[in-house]
């Protein structure tokens, strides 16, 4: 599985990318320009490191890594289309058949998806009620057959629930869908948390908030309970969601309403997909919703998203009951062992004592045949998720093994083992040569005496670090030979020491 790109870009391309990201308000580490000496080999190597660090910094940011300029920069072959033009073509065709709506203005880049565009609308019969039109292409998880897909899409305006944002109009083609719903000037829950203006671009609103401040405890409890109630409602009816995040929660006074139910029908990827694909225990749409709720609860509590998932240690919160819920979803143990269900979260102290006053009766009818189709589509989504998680797991194992194998410590170990193996091979070949030499030299000689002798390492009188030896004294005519077998550091080596002399006298000691 690939986790890197090889790109060939000029410095001016990096400069253009950096300019397009300045709207985020983040300080990005792009190396400065250099006019003189910019072709020196050392400078080019240093510049390459700086640009690599720049890209690593961008891709480690969840919002920046998913924005259109970065994706087009890294992978232009797959992101070359002009999605604004495509959206305008689809919207223009829509207005030919539905003349009662009128475009007020395009809402440029207010969302994070590349293949989704927004327009501020109004109905000619009710011009004072602002509407927002969203156009989106179909995604990789669209598993409903066309007939079932059209049936589900047409049902969206008829579904009502106290915590679901209503849809005014919806239509779909073979490749995309168009949805119109009321526009709230106060914005979404994410706008409330970040103190942002709803019509501003996504990068400007959420990348670098001026003031980081979470919601008060009562807001966290009430809004959290409302979101869990609507998630339970959808799960009980077999409707797959999987797209919970703060920008998909519209606020109307003290009531939050879930948006973009059509995303799962269109097969679009979740905002937090890059997070939960890392954990194989998060493998159902229900567990995905719970994981996404953990992100949302963290933002409501601390006024910003978590730096990393899983979270090792949580900052101080308005109540320990908040931390308990966060630990049950975003901690290392939860990501490895599994997250609680929505009914279990509703029973936790943070939400169990919240009284909801809304009495609106839900209307959410799904035909039996469509229920079966939704169940099949849900199973296909979960299967694709499991396959992706398996690939990521295998890739991570391979990366760890390569990193371990290439570490300095491992290289040192391999050198030591190679040295020992080389010594052992030399010793074995020396033994064979000594044996052959002894056999040829000792033919016709008479063995007189054999004796072992052990010497403490601190008193070694033998050459080359020997710690013990044994010898054979053989006599042949006037020649005396002393053949020794020397042990060095627990390895026996057949060094042959000879004492050469005439008659009973002892001559010179030499290594043979």
């Amino acid at each position: 599985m690939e986790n890197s790109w090889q790109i060939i870009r000029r410095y001016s391309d990096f400069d253009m990318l950096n300019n397009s990201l300045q709207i985020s308000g983040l300080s990005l580490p792009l190396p400065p320009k250099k006019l003189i000496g910019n072709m020196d080999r050392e400078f080019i190597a240093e510049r390459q490191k700086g640009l690599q660090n720049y890209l690593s910094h961008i891709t480690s940011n969840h919002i920046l890594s998913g924005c259109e300029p970065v994706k087009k920069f890294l992978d232009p072959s797959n992101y070359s289309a002009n999605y604004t033009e495509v959206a305008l073509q689809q919207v223009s065709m829509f207005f030919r058949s539905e003349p009662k709506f009128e475009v007020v203005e395009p809402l440029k880049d207010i969302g994070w998806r590349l293949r989704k565009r927004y327009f501020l609308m109004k109905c000619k019969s009710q011009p004072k009620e602002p509407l927002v039109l969203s156009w989106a292409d179909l995604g990789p998880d669209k598993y409903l057959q066309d007939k079932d897909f059209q049936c589900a899409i047409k049902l969206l305006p008829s579904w009502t629930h106290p915590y679901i944002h209503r849809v005014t109009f919806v239509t779909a083609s073979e490749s995309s869908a168009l949805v119109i719903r009321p526009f709230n000037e106060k914005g979404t829950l994410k706008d409330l948390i970040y103190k942002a203006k709803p019509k501003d671009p996504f990068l400007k609103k959420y990348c670098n908030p001026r003031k980081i401040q979470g919601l008060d405890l009562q807001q966290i409890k009430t809004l959290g309970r409302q979101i869990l109630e609507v998630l339970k409602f959808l799960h009980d009816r077999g409707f797959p969601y999987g797209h919970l995040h703060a920008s998909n929660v519209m606020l109307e006074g003290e009531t939050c309403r879930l948006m973009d139910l059509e995303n799962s029908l269109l097969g679009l990827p979740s905002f937090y997909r890059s997070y939960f694909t890392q954990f194989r225990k998060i493998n159902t749409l229900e567990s995905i919703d719970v994981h996404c709720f953990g992100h949302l609860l963290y933002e409501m509590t601390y006024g910003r998203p978590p730096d990393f998932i899983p979270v090792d240690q949580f900052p101080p919160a308005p109540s320990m009951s908040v931390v308990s819920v966060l630990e049950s979803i975003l901690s290392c143990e939860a990501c490895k062992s599994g997250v609680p269900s929505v009914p279990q979260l509703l029973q936790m102290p943070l939400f169990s004592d919240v009284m909801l006053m809304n009495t609106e009766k839900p209307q959410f009818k799904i035909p039996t045949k469509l229920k079966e189709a939704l169940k099949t589509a849900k199973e296909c989504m979960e299967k694709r998720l499991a396959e992706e998680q398996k690939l990521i797991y295998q890739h991570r194992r391979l990366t760890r093994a390569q990193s371990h194998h290439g570490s300095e410590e491992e290289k040192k170990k391999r050198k030591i083992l190679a040295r020992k193996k080389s010594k052992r091979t030399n010793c074995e070949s020396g033994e064979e040569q000594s044996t052959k030499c002894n056999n040829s030299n000792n033919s016709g000689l008479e063995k007189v005496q054999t004796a072992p002798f052990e010497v403490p390492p601190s008193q070694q009188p033998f050459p080359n670090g020997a710690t013990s030896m044994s010898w054979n004294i053989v006599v042949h005519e006037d020649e005396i030979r002393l053949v020794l077998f020397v042990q060095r550091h627990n390895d026996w080596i057949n060094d042959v020491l000879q004492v050469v002399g005439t008659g009973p006298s002892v001559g010179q000691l030499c290594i043979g």
Side-chain angles (χ1 to χ4, degrees):
M1 181 178 178
E2 295 184 2
N3 70 331
S4 62
W5 289 270
Q6 297 238 352
I7 58 173
I8 300 174
R9 294 282 190 176
R10 298 181 64 86
Y11 179 83
S12 57
D13 297 327
F14 281 89
D15 192 43
M16 288 177 62
L17 172 65
N18 193 63
N19 289 335
S20 67
L21 299 179
Q22 290 304 302
I23 192 172
S24 68
L26 296 171
S27 178
L28 303 173
L30 180 69
K33 294 180 181 179
K34 185 176 182 181
L35 299 177
I36 301 174
N38 58 3
M39 298 302 291
D40 295 341
R41 185 173 298 177
E42 291 183 1
F43 170 76
I44 291 174
E46 191 65 29
R47 166 63 59 82
Q48 189 174 8
K49 289 181 182 177
L51 294 176
Q52 179 61 57
N53 178 60
Y54 174 75
L55 287 180
S56 298
H57 187 86
I58 289 174
T59 53
S60 64
N61 184 296
H62 181 60
I63 296 178
L64 288 183
S65 61
C67 72
E68 185 173 355
V70 172
K71 290 203 171 186
K72 286 190 172 183
F73 182 87
L74 294 176
D75 196 6
S77 60
N78 287 322
Y79 297 98
S80 57
N82 188 326
Y83 299 110
T84 301
E85 288 186 4
V86 176
L88 284 171
Q89 291 174 5
Q90 297 289 331
V91 172
S92 299
M93 291 174 61
F94 161 72
F95 281 122
R96 290 174 192 169
S97 59
E98 294 290 340
K100 65 179 180 179
F101 294 104
E102 181 181 338
V103 174
V104 177
E105 62 175 318
L107 298 173
K108 191 177 179 182
D109 300 328
I110 67 166
W112 65 276
R113 293 187 188 277
L114 271 68
R115 297 180 176 91
K116 194 167 189 177
R117 293 294 184 266
Y118 297 87
F119 300 87
L120 192 63
M121 310 281 295
K122 67 179 180 180
C123 183
K124 291 181 180 178
S125 61
Q126 296 174 309
K128 292 186 178 181
E129 293 185 11
L131 304 170
V132 60
L133 180 151
S134 63
W135 169 90
D137 211 350
L138 301 184
D141 276 327
K142 191 263 180 184
Y143 291 107
L144 285 174
Q145 298 296 322
D146 290 341
K147 185 178 178 181
D148 297 320
F149 174 67
Q150 290 292 341
C151 177
I153 284 291
K154 289 176 181 177
L155 284 173
L156 285 173
S158 67
W159 290 344
T160 61
H161 186 278
Y163 307 125
I164 293 179
H165 195 51
R166 66 186 176 90
V167 171
T168 304
F169 180 88
V170 61
T171 185
S173 66
E174 295 178 354
S175 60
S176 62
L178 183 150
V179 180
I180 298 177
R181 51 172 52 93
F183 179 73
N184 189 340
E185 295 288 350
K186 293 184 179 180
T188 64
L189 177 57
K190 201 172 185 80
D191 295 324
L192 174 67
I193 295 171
Y194 288 77
K195 314 293 188 295
K197 297 178 181 178
K199 295 182 183 180
D200 282 346
F202 198 84
L203 293 183
K204 182 179 180 180
K205 289 189 288 187
Y206 308 132
C207 266
N208 189 28
R210 294 179 181 177
K211 186 177 182 181
I212 298 175
Q213 183 178 355
L215 306 181
D216 61 55
L217 182 59
Q218 191 55 45
Q219 281 181 305
I220 294 171
K221 290 167 69 74
T222 303
L223 297 179
R225 176 65 187 257
Q226 291 173 359
I227 292 168
L228 289 175
E229 287 289 346
V230 69
L231 288 178
K232 183 178 182 299
F233 177 84
L234 293 174
H235 294 174
D236 290 344
R237 279 147 187 80
F239 186 87
Y241 184 52
H243 292 273
L244 178 63
H245 61 93
S247 291
N248 272 355
V249 180
M250 187 66 72
L251 284 180
E252 294 181 7
E254 295 298 317
T255 303
C256 64
R257 301 185 186 272
L258 209 60
M259 293 196 304
D260 287 3
L261 266 65
E262 69 275 8
N263 283 355
S264 58
L265 303 177
L266 299 175
L268 302 180
S270 170
F271 182 67
Y272 293 117
R273 188 176 183 87
S274 61
Y275 288 100
F276 58 73
T277 49
Q278 308 293 320
F279 309 108
R280 301 178 79 179
K281 287 292 184 180
I282 303 173
N283 51 18
T284 65
L285 285 179
E286 289 82 4
S287 60
I288 288 172
D289 281 335
V290 172
H291 180 79
C292 295
F293 179 77
H295 284 265
L296 176 57
L297 181 61
Y298 191 102
E299 275 190 290
M300 287 196 294
T301 304
Y302 301 111
R304 60 180 181 83
D307 295 324
F308 303 100
I309 298 293
V311 181
D312 293 326
Q313 189 171 2
F314 293 90
S319 170
M320 281 305 298
S321 59
V322 179
V323 177
S324 297
V325 177
L326 289 172
E327 286 178 340
S328 71
I329 302 173
L330 300 180
S331 66
C332 295
E333 182 62 28
C335 292
K336 289 179 182 178
S337 304
V339 296
S341 65
V342 171
Q344 287 173 332
L345 289 175
L346 284 167
Q347 295 301 317
M348 296 186 77
L350 181 63
F351 306 115
S352 60
D353 61 347
V354 177
M355 300 297 293
L356 299 179
M357 305 305 293
N358 204 311
T359 57
E360 181 183 343
K361 188 177 180 180
Q363 297 289 333
F364 203 90
K365 294 181 180 180
I366 303 177
T368 305
K369 204 171 180 181
L370 181 57
K371 275 187 179 180
E372 290 300 317
L374 288 172
K375 182 180 178 182
T376 303
K378 176 177 174 290
E379 290 170 354
C380 291
M381 293 178 198
E382 292 171 351
K383 182 180 178 182
R384 192 176 85 87
L385 172 62
E387 290 171 353
E388 187 174 337
Q389 289 173 330
K390 183 179 178 181
L391 285 174
I392 292 173
Y393 175 74
Q394 291 173 345
H395 174 72
R396 283 162 62 184
R397 285 190 64 185
L398 178 62
T399 303
R400 283 198 299 266
Q402 290 173 341
S403 176
H404 178 69
H405 192 69
S407 65
E408 290 299 322
E409 186 178 350
E410 276 300 303
K411 288 179 181 178
K412 194 179 292 183
K413 285 181 181 179
R414 289 199 298 273
K415 284 181 181 179
I416 293 171
L417 289 174
R419 201 176 295 126
K420 285 184 178 181
K421 187 176 181 181
S422 176
K423 284 183 179 180
R424 197 176 299 115
T425 304
N426 292 336
C427 293
E428 288 172 356
S429 96
E431 286 178 8
E432 291 177 3
Q433 291 178 1
S434 299
T435 304
K436 290 178 183 178
C437 179
N438 292 340
N439 290 339
S440 61
N441 291 339
N442 293 344
S443 59
L445 300 184
E446 179 184 355
K447 186 185 287 188
V448 176
Q449 181 182 356
T450 300
F453 180 65
E454 296 287 333
V455 181
S458 59
Q459 301 175 12
Q460 295 174 5
F462 308 117
N464 301 325
T467 58
S468 63
M469 72 177 185
S470 64
W471 67 86
N472 292 333
I473 300 176
V474 294
V475 180
H476 181 258
E477 295 179 352
D478 293 335
E479 187 181 47
I480 301 175
R481 287 187 180 177
L482 181 63
V483 182
L484 298 97
F485 295 86
V486 181
Q487 184 183 21
R488 293 197 190 98
H489 307 295
N490 299 323
D491 292 324
W492 281 97
I493 303 172
N494 295 338
D495 286 346
V496 182
L497 302 181
Q498 297 180 355
V499 178
V500 183
T502 303
S505 61
V506 178
Q508 182 180 1
L509 180 68
C510 61
I511 297 178

